[in-house]
Amino acid sequence: MSDSFVNEINKMNKNNSYKQNLEDEEIDLYLLFIKLWTKKWHFISIVAFFIVISIYYSFSIPPTYRATSYILPPRESEVQSLYVENTSAIDDYNKNSETKKNLEIFKEFLNNLLYRQNQSKFIKENNLTELFSKNPDDNLNQTEMLEIFSTMIKVSSYEEFGKKGESIGVSVEFNDPDISAKLVNDYIIFVEKELITKKLENLRELITSEILRIEYMIKSKRKLAKQRRQDQIIRFEEAKIIAESLGFDRRIDATNIIQNTNQNMDITSVTTPLYYIGTKALSAEIDLLKNRDTDDPFILGLRDLQEKHDLLLQYMNVDKNSLRSVLIDQKAYSPKNRISPNRTLITSIGTIGGFFFAIIIILSISFFQNQKKNHFEKK
């Protein structure tokens, strides 16, 4: 028998087996449909049961609403008073690297929204214990309430700001639409108030420290000026004694005396002795120095220090209401639509699950029935 003839027979066998498999599959699908049809009421009952359970479950879940407020950075003029100019001791406070002052404080505000310390203080001040308790008998501690509230707060990433010219969203998710809107609006106001208060306190501490430093410098300069005046009086009194002993009542021209004393001496390098002024001039100088009321006009740099001192005192009286750390682009309003649960999705999943579960149940029952029938037939 040739090889080609054997190959042809093998091909025919393969084709027949393939056709037989297709026929078996068609028969199996047909039998499956027949089994499902004969037990259609069982099938419908199981699917209906799953639909009812999924609907009941979707309605048993408390609805969740999301209220969102949209915010922007404050204007430059609304933060300018937080930065003191022309004061050397607080230059580090004024440094903004490459960012603008309003963007810097806006980033700080966004960070403060997520600070647990602010959230905890907000819960205490607004007495939110009953709000977070699912049952009236629940006694939630501060840590449990803080965990609940921290999961409710959602803040958009700062990196998303400015890409499309959009503001940043701050949202609160809660089971009551009105309360969720009130919470997010109140919390934004609370965090801004806390941030401005903290910034002002830090600024005033720095200003107070700088004012004390300047006051110390002024006091020191005045004390040293008084000491220098006393030293000058002593020098003039000694020069007066010398002038009286030499008989110099009036100012003496020292140029000829110096030339006659030393012909090689450079006149410009020679200091004229004080007693050459004469006793009358020295007495007048001494009386003036002793009767001087204040040394302030003669203290170098004193007026600059006093100017800085007055400027810092003005910064101490910054109006808190004129400062902002955030600009509200749109307040949060009570949402009309819930974000969860998605009852349509839950019902759809329940229906599909019931469909497949019903098929499995019916096939399992049919299998055990056939097994039982074959068992009795063998007997």
Side-chain angles (χ1 to χ4, degrees):
M1 187 178 295
S2 64
D3 293 338
S4 60
F5 182 74
V6 173
N7 292 334
E8 288 295 329
I9 293 175
N10 291 333
K11 288 182 181 179
M12 292 177 63
N13 292 332
K14 288 181 180 179
N15 292 333
N16 291 333
S17 62
Y18 178 72
K19 290 179 181 180
Q20 184 65 34
N21 290 334
L22 289 177
E23 290 176 358
D24 291 342
E25 289 180 2
E26 291 178 357
I27 293 172
D28 290 341
L29 292 175
Y30 177 75
L31 291 175
L32 174 62
F33 178 76
I34 294 298
K35 289 178 181 179
L36 292 176
W37 179 254
T38 55
K39 298 185 180 298
K40 57 182 179 294
W41 295 115
H42 294 82
F43 181 84
I44 293 173
S45 299
I46 294 172
V47 173
F49 175 77
F50 271 80
I51 292 175
V52 171
I53 291 297
S54 61
I55 292 174
Y56 175 78
Y57 175 73
S58 65
F59 278 91
S60 64
I61 301 175
T64 302
Y65 298 88
R66 178 187 294 153
T68 305
S69 178
Y70 296 94
I71 56 177
L72 292 167
R75 303 178 183 90
E76 282 280 350
S77 59
E78 293 174 326
V79 299
Q80 192 66 37
S81 299
L82 288 173
Y83 298 88
V84 182
E85 305 294 341
N86 300 323
T87 49
S88 58
I90 48 180
D91 284 341
D92 292 338
Y93 181 81
N94 292 334
K95 289 180 181 177
N96 290 330
S97 62
E98 297 179 355
T99 60
K100 294 183 178 180
K101 293 172 180 142
N102 62 332
L103 297 181
E104 182 178 338
I105 198 170
F106 184 58
K107 281 186 177 181
E108 193 171 348
F109 170 81
L110 294 177
N111 292 332
N112 284 8
L113 285 172
L114 302 177
Y115 284 169
R116 293 296 184 94
Q117 184 177 359
N118 286 334
Q119 294 176 0
S120 178
K121 190 174 180 180
F122 178 74
I123 293 171
K124 288 181 181 179
E125 290 188 2
N126 292 273
N127 194 19
L128 301 180
T129 306
E130 296 181 359
L131 185 65
F132 296 148
S133 300
K134 296 180 180 180
N135 299 315
D137 297 332
D138 290 344
N139 293 320
L140 297 177
N141 57 38
Q142 189 67 22
T143 304
E144 291 172 333
M145 288 188 293
L146 184 59
E147 289 297 328
I148 295 173
F149 187 75
S150 62
T151 58
M152 294 166 54
I153 297 292
K154 309 292 181 184
V155 181
S156 302
S157 173
Y158 183 78
E159 282 68 21
E160 299 176 5
F161 171 71
K163 289 184 178 179
K164 299 180 180 180
E166 297 177 352
S167 53
I168 290 181
V170 181
S171 59
V172 167
E173 297 178 0
F174 196 61
N175 54 23
D176 188 296
D178 297 330
I179 294 178
S180 61
K182 186 177 187 311
L183 280 176
V184 67
N185 291 329
D186 291 349
Y187 186 60
I188 288 174
I189 295 173
F190 171 81
V191 172
E192 183 186 27
K193 179 182 175 182
E194 289 293 310
L195 177 58
I196 293 298
T197 301
K198 181 180 177 181
K199 297 287 285 186
L200 278 178
E201 288 177 355
N202 293 339
L203 178 62
R204 283 169 179 163
E205 287 179 2
L206 291 170
I207 291 175
T208 301
S209 176
E210 179 71 2
I211 287 175
L212 292 175
R213 188 184 72 87
I214 292 175
E215 288 177 348
Y216 175 79
M217 291 178 65
I218 292 174
K219 183 178 179 181
S220 178
K221 282 180 174 292
R222 283 174 173 166
K223 182 179 179 180
L224 291 174
K226 184 178 180 180
Q227 185 63 49
R228 290 190 183 100
R229 180 161 55 89
Q230 295 298 325
D231 294 342
Q232 195 172 8
I233 291 173
I234 293 173
R235 289 196 300 270
F236 284 163
E237 286 177 343
E238 291 181 352
K240 180 181 176 182
I241 294 172
I242 297 173
E244 288 176 348
S245 64
L246 296 175
F248 294 158
D249 292 336
R250 297 180 180 277
R251 180 182 294 274
I252 303 299
D253 186 3
T255 305
N256 294 329
I257 297 174
I258 294 172
Q259 289 177 346
N260 294 331
T261 303
N262 190 351
Q263 295 293 333
N264 297 324
M265 184 178 293
D266 187 0
I267 296 177
T268 58
S269 65
V270 176
T271 302
T272 304
L274 283 174
Y275 55 82
Y276 275 31
I277 298 176
T279 56
K280 290 186 177 181
L282 288 170
S283 297
E285 288 281 358
I286 292 170
D287 291 339
L288 183 62
L289 290 173
K290 286 182 177 181
N291 296 323
R292 181 181 290 173
D293 295 330
T294 177
D295 296 312
D296 287 2
F298 306 95
I299 301 175
L300 186 64
L302 178 65
R303 300 309 181 194
D304 292 335
L305 290 174
Q306 290 176 333
E307 182 181 4
K308 287 184 178 181
H309 185 273
D310 293 342
L311 179 63
L312 290 173
L313 287 177
Q314 293 179 11
Y315 276 108
M316 290 289 285
N317 299 320
V318 174
D319 183 13
K320 184 178 180 179
N321 296 324
S322 65
L323 301 174
R324 300 294 302 274
S325 62
V326 64
L327 179 65
I328 299 178
D329 188 28
Q330 178 181 314
K331 292 178 63 176
Y333 295 98
S334 300
K336 295 181 179 179
N337 300 322
R338 64 184 182 276
I339 59 172
S340 67
N342 190 336
R343 290 169 181 163
T344 302
L345 178 62
I346 293 174
T347 305
S348 300
I349 293 174
T351 303
I352 295 172
F355 181 84
F356 285 104
F357 191 76
I359 293 175
I360 294 172
I361 292 295
I362 291 173
L363 291 179
S364 299
I365 293 172
S366 299
F367 174 76
F368 286 112
Q369 287 177 347
N370 291 334
Q371 290 293 105
K372 184 178 179 181
K373 181 180 179 181
N374 294 333
H375 178 72
F376 284 109
E377 287 178 355
K378 290 179 180 179
K379 288 184 177 181

